Amino acid sequence: MTPPVPAAPRDDLVSTVNVRPVPSFEQEHLLSTVTSFLGKTITIIGIEVRKMRHDPSDLVMRAVQPALWLLIFGEVLSRVRAIPTGGKPYLDFMAPGILAQSVLFIAIFSGIAIIWERDLGIIHKFLASPTPRVVLVLGKALSAGVRGLSQAVIVYVLALLLGVQVNWNPLALLGVMVIVLLGGACFSTFSLIIACLVRTRERFMGIGQVLTMPLFFASNAIYPIAIMPAWLQAIAHANPLSYEVDALRSLMLANNTNFAGLIPDFIVMFCITTVLVLIGARLYPRLAQ
């Protein structure tokens, strides 16, 4: 009796088996690394945001500054009509600049908390953990951006009360949130770098007060760059705040059709923030010395 001949494999079964590629070790390792990086960054953000929950009075105090600028400075200059705003009411032109200014003032002084953490020994605990330095810096930077979102809510409410024509498109609101996070992260990391270099609260506060107003006035927050003298225009074009204000002005105001510079604004802010985070991660261990 002859043994049965085994059937030839079917092409459809072979193709079905080969449809599912087995993930390589490199892909699994990359996915695990990215997931771990994001998870640790969110943890650092959560730690920083919980501090804000324990002291909500700080949010109330932060609301005073944009209110004063919009209600007093903005209302006065809107009657002068001496600043070219491209056909927009001056309050409409100014509101995005005041939002950027509020985020700047929150972020630029966030470095003082780093010095406090060093004095309390918290920095040493962070550095003793296996958490990458980039995660520590990025988490703290983005937490300043989260604080800036509270300022966005305040400025939007004030703008609504003052009759500013705001763009309520969900995509525009999402874009405002992203640029506020980037702006807060950018200037917060800049603040951290200063804290790593000066390492004392007194010197940090002095440098912070010296830097905030030049950054604000050497930007397009309350007047267009075109009316500045040539030397100040060069400084304004190198100022990250100018790109933040330009992006906010494109996204925040209604009936705005000038979106040509929106992508470059995001790219510039993202690149500057990335470079500052890398520099901050390199300098962060100096705080423990």
Side-chain angles (χ1 to χ4, degrees):
M1 183 175 181
T2 58
V5 179
R10 291 171 54 186
D11 292 339
D12 57 345
L13 291 178
V14 174
S15 61
T16 303
V17 172
N18 293 332
V19 164
R20 298 179 180 178
V22 178
S24 64
F25 174 78
E26 291 79 7
Q27 291 175 336
E28 292 180 351
H29 179 69
L30 177 61
L31 180 61
S32 175
T33 302
V34 172
T35 304
S36 176
F37 184 90
L38 293 177
K40 292 177 180 178
T41 303
I42 293 173
T43 300
I44 298 297
I45 296 173
I47 293 173
E48 297 297 321
V49 171
R50 279 195 293 272
K51 296 177 183 178
M52 182 175 62
R53 187 181 63 184
H54 293 307
D55 187 18
S57 61
D58 182 60
L59 297 179
V60 178
M61 297 301 296
R62 295 292 183 182
V64 175
Q65 185 171 314
L68 289 176
W69 276 94
L70 288 172
L71 292 173
I72 298 177
F73 193 85
E75 287 286 356
V76 171
L77 284 188
S78 63
R79 299 175 184 273
V80 175
R81 304 181 186 278
I83 299 176
T85 59
K88 302 182 183 68
Y90 183 72
L91 275 176
D92 292 33
F93 178 85
M94 186 184 183
I98 298 306
L99 173 55
Q101 179 219 44
S102 302
V103 175
L104 167 67
F105 283 13
I106 285 178
I108 204 69
F109 289 105
S110 62
I112 193 69
I114 305 295
I115 300 178
W116 278 107
E117 289 179 355
R118 183 205 61 192
D119 295 341
L120 294 173
I122 300 174
I123 293 290
H124 297 78
K125 296 179 180 179
F126 279 138
L127 293 175
S129 69
T131 306
R133 309 295 181 257
V134 174
V135 169
L136 295 173
V137 174
L138 181 61
K140 291 180 178 295
L142 291 177
S143 67
V146 174
R147 290 190 181 94
L149 292 178
S150 64
Q151 293 298 102
V153 174
I154 293 169
V155 171
Y156 265 82
V157 171
L158 290 172
L160 185 63
L161 294 175
L162 293 173
V164 174
Q165 300 297 315
V166 176
N167 184 3
W168 297 105
N169 185 291
L171 291 178
L173 295 175
L174 180 61
V176 169
M177 292 175 62
V178 172
I179 201 66
V180 166
L181 286 172
L182 276 176
C186 175
F187 292 108
S188 174
T189 312
F190 182 52
S191 174
L192 182 143
I193 292 172
I194 296 173
C196 292
L197 295 175
V198 301
R199 303 180 62 185
T200 61
R201 291 188 293 272
E202 293 77 11
R203 290 183 181 179
F204 176 85
M205 291 301 295
I207 294 176
Q209 291 172 356
V210 167
L211 290 176
T212 48
M213 298 314 291
L215 282 170
F216 174 55
F217 286 111
S219 73
N220 55 350
I222 55 177
Y223 36 68
I225 295 178
I227 68 173
M228 299 179 184
W231 63 270
L232 189 56
Q233 288 186 20
I235 296 175
H237 285 299
N239 186 354
L241 189 66
S242 296
Y243 298 94
E244 181 183 355
V245 172
D246 190 59
L248 289 175
R249 197 164 279 146
S250 298
L251 292 166
M252 187 175 172
L253 300 181
N255 302 321
N256 185 36
T257 58
N258 184 20
F259 297 102
L262 193 56
I263 294 178
D265 290 334
F266 274 96
I267 292 175
V268 169
M269 289 297 300
F270 179 79
C271 291
I272 293 176
T273 304
T274 301
V275 171
L276 290 177
V277 167
L278 294 176
I279 295 173
R282 186 67 180 269
L283 295 176
Y284 189 72
R286 293 185 56 176
L287 285 168
Q289 298 176 0

